[in-house]
Structure formats: structure tokens, C-alpha cells
Amino acid sequence: MKIISRHYKKMKIAYIKVAVLAIIAAAFCLPYMQRLESTGDNIFTVYLNGMQVGVMGDIKEVDSCLIAARKKLAESSDEMVLAQSDLTFAGDEVLWGAIDDDDVIISNMVTALRASVKETLNRSYTVKINEYTVNLASTQEVLALLQASIRKYDSKNTYNVDLVLDSERELNVLTTQIYSTEEQREEEEAEEVMTSVGINAAIDEMFKDIEPAAEKDFGDYELGLLSLGFGDTVEVVESYLQDYELTPLSKAIEEVTKDQEKEQIYEVVSGDTLSQIAEKNEIPLADLVAMNETIESEDSMIRVGDELIVTVPEPELSVERTEQMYYEEDYEAEVIYVDNDNWYTNETKTLQEPSAGHRKVVANVSYRNKEEVGREILKEEITYEAVPKIVERGTKIPPTYIKPISGGRLTSRFGRRRAPTRGASTYHKGVDWATPVGTAVMASSTGTVAKAGWGSGYGYVVYINHADGRQTRYGHLSKVLVSQGQTVTQGQKIALSGNTGVSTGPHVHFEILINGGQVNPFDYLN
């Protein structure tokens, strides 16, 4: 019995040794068990957004695993995905430790990221036209928007829009290219000819259809749309946006193609009046006055070359086009002027009355949206000639007229009035300015003194004849400083104001006469 017991103990010890050796061997052979150096924390449990994703022996590798996990998450969607990534870890110091493979950690990280996705951004396209922008869901929608802009001017669908990289931009910005479907077809056919029969045969084919230069008949012109393009720069860039930031295609088309009131500058030309400018631009006259600070009222004067602000209806994206058109019309010949150096520029005489002619025309007419901006006549056939208007006109600059005093208070205008004092007329033939006795009175324009002295009811007066046949008169003076026959210049002091003759107080009476009759001086003063 003792022998058996001793032998059993030896076997038990041997078994234990083998088991220990087996455990040690297994520890070295297991892929995830490692003997770790004792350098402080040497094994780390990693958490992503509070979820345990694995155990690592080197915490420096956690960032590369997270990058790989984010890449896998992005590859699982065509859109841009934003997910929270709050990375934490807990360290420990052990002699032996089991760590997870990187693939396992990355897979667990993907799961944690997917559970914390904040939002998905759609790949979109932002279209910029001047200061206007709109976001669309795809390039197909962008092209549909641009096609809608040209379709109202291209009912036969002869032009198409494409998106191309803008070669003038460093970044990837798309812009537009409009091409004719007919031109594209011809180019494709030409390439096929060159490929199949060779370049020499292609050149022969090209020159075969060239006709010798000859005058075309009306039937030889191919009427219709010649060219079409956008009048504004269009920029398209890729962007990532949320659903609520995208504009439905139908709404975008309405915004881009609908006419908007936009301010433009209008330059006044000869013959323009404020009412004509308002009518031409379809603006109420009161609105035209309100838009322009330089215009005080509807009666304000305007001059050739003045620039006025007007509003015109234009879409966000303007379309420019040229159409070849045939039409028949009555036309006016240009006015023929005969200069007369002895007349002033405000003197004219019609020597021949005009009459309209009739013609047939083929022309290239250019438009910006609906507005015609140019016309080139290609062929014209006169049915019957127009008779021009012939006008004789003066070339001399007429004299100007200025107010005869500085300051003063206007007390009586030209025209009917109550007689201010006994003996005074009820029809006032000039204008009166109240001013103290002794105020300097100046010649309204250059001329020759016709009268200087007493003038009965006018008191002391001065009459001046001017080169354009007009006469100015200055009454109720206190002192006359010029004499009859004397030449005076505009602004020269000719008298002092007073209260002589039939007068109610110190003032200056001023008249302008044309052909011997008084006119309203305010119509002629500058």
C-alpha cells in the first residue's frame, strides 16, 4: 500500500508539472496572449462614444484604427456622413494580457460610429448667377434648370446646355457651354468622313459645297435662331448639404426664369422727355421721379447725356440670342439738314416735307431676353423710296438770359393779377422782385442799349436789344448807369433799383419781349 501511495504521489506531481508546462506553452502559442513589459500601464481598453470596442497593447495605434473605421463608414454611403467620435480608454499594468486584432477593433468602431451618426449630408450642387444662388440635388437638375432658361427662346430645341470645367479658375468650378445640336451633328459627320475616307477626301467634300460669292436672294437665307448664350456668368460647385437646404427644381426654375425688377442706367437722348422715358421703360412717371434724386418733380428739365435710374423686368439668368428675320416695313429717310450760319440754333425752317417709303429686309436681330439690342441689315429691297425731310437750321449759339439782380423777393409773376395800386395794369407784363433801393441791376444778356431814362409809368428804365431779336426791359430804377447806343455785356451793372413811376415799393420790374410782345421771363432765364 505504501508503494502504491508513493507512486501515485509521484504521478500527481508529474501531472501537475506537465499541466503547468502545457499552460505556459499554450500561453506562448495563443495569438492574443502576450507577455507585456512592466512599464506602467501596458494594456488599454478602448471606448468609442461610451461603447467598448477592444483592447490594445499600444494606444498610439488607436487613431489609425479610428481613421480606418471612418473610411469604412464613408464607403458605405454615397453621401457625406457626420458622426460623433468621442474616444476614451482605460489603462492597466499586467504581466500577461489578451489584445484584440486591429480588424476586430475597426469593425467595432464602425458599429459605434453608425450608432451615433448625427446627420447625413447630400452631395449637391450650388448654382451661382451674379448675386443669386440656388442649391440643387444633382447635375441633372442643374442642367434642367439651365435648359429651362433657354427653352422659351428656343422652341425647336436646337440648342443644349452642358457643364464644363472653368479653365480660368484654379479650383474645380463648373461653368456652362451652349452648343447647337446641328453643329454637333455636322462635326460628328465630318469626323466620320475623315476616319473612313481620309483627310484628303474630307477636304474635297468640304470644298465641294462652297459656292462662289454671289448676291443672295431672299429665299437663300436660312431664317431662324443663329446663336444663343447666357448673358450672365454661371458658376456651379459641388457641395454637401442637408435636405432642407435644397430647392425643389420647379421652384428654382420659377425663380431663375421669372422676370424681376432690376435697376439699370438710362442715358437721355435728343428728344427725350420724362414722360416718354417712363412710358418707354413701362414705369409710372411718379416712380421714375422717386428713383432719381436729381429729379425734383415731373416738370424738371433733363438734358442729353443725363443718366437716370430706371427699372426693367429681367430674369435672374439673362439669355442673349441672334435671330435672322425677314420682314417688310414702312421706313423714314434720314432728315437732311441745310446749315445757315446767319441763324441761331433755335431757328429752323422746313424746306421739304417727308413721306415714308417701303422695303423688304433680311436682318440679324440681337436680343437680350425680350429687348432688342442690335440690328444688322443683310439684304434690303426698296419697294418705293422714302422722301426725306429737308430742314434749314441755324448754327449760331443764341444768347442766354440771367436774373438781373442777386437775391430779392418775388412779389408779382407774369400774367393776370389784381392791380396793386391805382394806375397799375391788371395784366402784368413782367416779373417783380422786391429789393432795397440802390441794389445793383445787371444786364440779363449781352446787347445794345435802346433806351435809358424816364419811361412814364415805368419810372426810370433801361431797354436793351439783343442779337437774337429779343429785348429786355428794367423798370422803376433809382439811377441809370448806361446810355442809349452803348454796348453792354451779360452781368454788367446798368442801373440801381428804386421806387420810381407807378410803384408800390422798392423793387425791380423785368420784361423779355419777342417780336415786340412780352413773354414770361421765367421761360427763358437760366
Side-chain angles (χ1 to χ4, degrees), residues 277-384:
I277 295 171
E279 182 178 356
K280 187 186 301 184
N281 291 279
E282 299 180 353
I283 308 169
L285 180 55
D287 291 352
L288 179 63
V289 172
M291 280 188 287
N292 292 271
E293 295 181 358
T294 56
I295 303 177
E296 295 181 358
S297 70
E298 297 178 1
D299 299 322
S300 295
M301 295 285 293
I302 54 174
R303 295 176 175 80
V304 173
D306 286 350
E307 292 187 346
L308 303 180
I309 298 172
V310 298
T311 56
V312 295
E314 273 199 353
E316 292 291 354
L317 179 55
S318 292
V319 176
E320 296 178 345
R321 70 191 192 281
T322 300
E323 294 186 23
Q324 193 168 96
M325 304 170 63
Y326 167 82
Y327 56 91
E328 296 186 27
E329 67 174 0
D330 292 335
Y331 74 99
E332 302 285 345
E334 290 188 7
V335 178
I336 297 174
Y337 291 101
V338 178
D339 291 338
N340 186 328
D341 295 338
N342 295 318
W343 292 2
Y344 289 104
T345 54
N346 55 6
E347 297 179 82
T348 61
K349 180 180 179 181
T350 299
L351 303 180
Q352 176 175 285
E353 294 293 343
S355 64
H358 187 270
R359 62 184 175 183
K360 301 176 182 178
V361 178
V362 171
N364 289 343
V365 185
S366 300
Y367 296 89
R368 180 180 173 90
N369 302 317
K370 299 174 184 177
E371 181 183 359
E372 180 180 332
V373 294
R375 183 176 295 253
E376 178 189 6
I377 294 179
L378 305 177
K379 182 176 177 62
E380 179 183 61
E381 184 178 289
I382 304 297
T383 308
Y384 50 87

Side-chain angles (χ1 to χ4, degrees), residues 34-44 57 92-97:
Q34 293 188 11
R35 186 176 186 279
L36 302 175
E37 295 183 5
S38 179
T39 57
D41 290 347
N42 54 11
I43 192 168
F44 302 90
D92 197 8
E93 182 179 14
V94 298
L95 182 61
W96 299 91

Side-chain angles (χ1 to χ4, degrees), residues 224-236:
L225 194 58
L226 295 182
S227 65
L228 186 146
F230 290 127
D232 299 297
T233 300
V234 180
E235 298 174 307
V236 181

Side-chain angles (χ1 to χ4, degrees), residues 399-405 410 412-416 427-433 444-445 458 466 468 470-475 490 508-514 517-526:
T400 59
Y401 295 84
I402 62 173
K403 182 180 175 182
I405 63 169
L410 180 65
S412 183
R413 293 179 177 274
F414 179 86
R416 293 202 174 277
Y427 189 90
H428 197 216
K429 297 179 180 180
V431 293
D432 292 344
W433 289 282
S444 181
S445 185
Y458 283 100
H466 305 284
D468 58 355
R470 297 173 185 171
Q471 186 182 77
T472 53
R473 295 179 178 179
Y474 314 78
Q490 186 180 65
V508 171
H509 173 84
F510 176 68
E511 297 178 6
I512 295 181
L513 293 84
I514 299 178
Q518 284 91 344
V519 296
N520 188 347
F522 286 133
D523 292 339
Y524 302 93
L525 293 179
N526 288 340

Side-chain angles (χ1 to χ4, degrees), residues 462-516:
V462 174
Y463 295 177
I464 302 175
N465 292 335
H466 305 284
D468 58 355
R470 297 173 185 171
Q471 186 182 77
T472 53
R473 295 179 178 179
Y474 314 78
H476 307 296
L477 308 171
S478 63
K479 185 176 183 179
V480 174
L481 303 177
V482 292
S483 57
Q484 184 176 350
Q486 181 180 341
T487 299
V488 295
T489 58
Q490 186 180 65
Q492 180 179 335
K493 184 160 65 170
I494 58 172
L496 300 178
S497 66
N499 189 26
T500 59
V502 181
S503 174
T504 58
H507 73 287
V508 171
H509 173 84
F510 176 68
E511 297 178 6
I512 295 181
L513 293 84
I514 299 178
N515 297 325

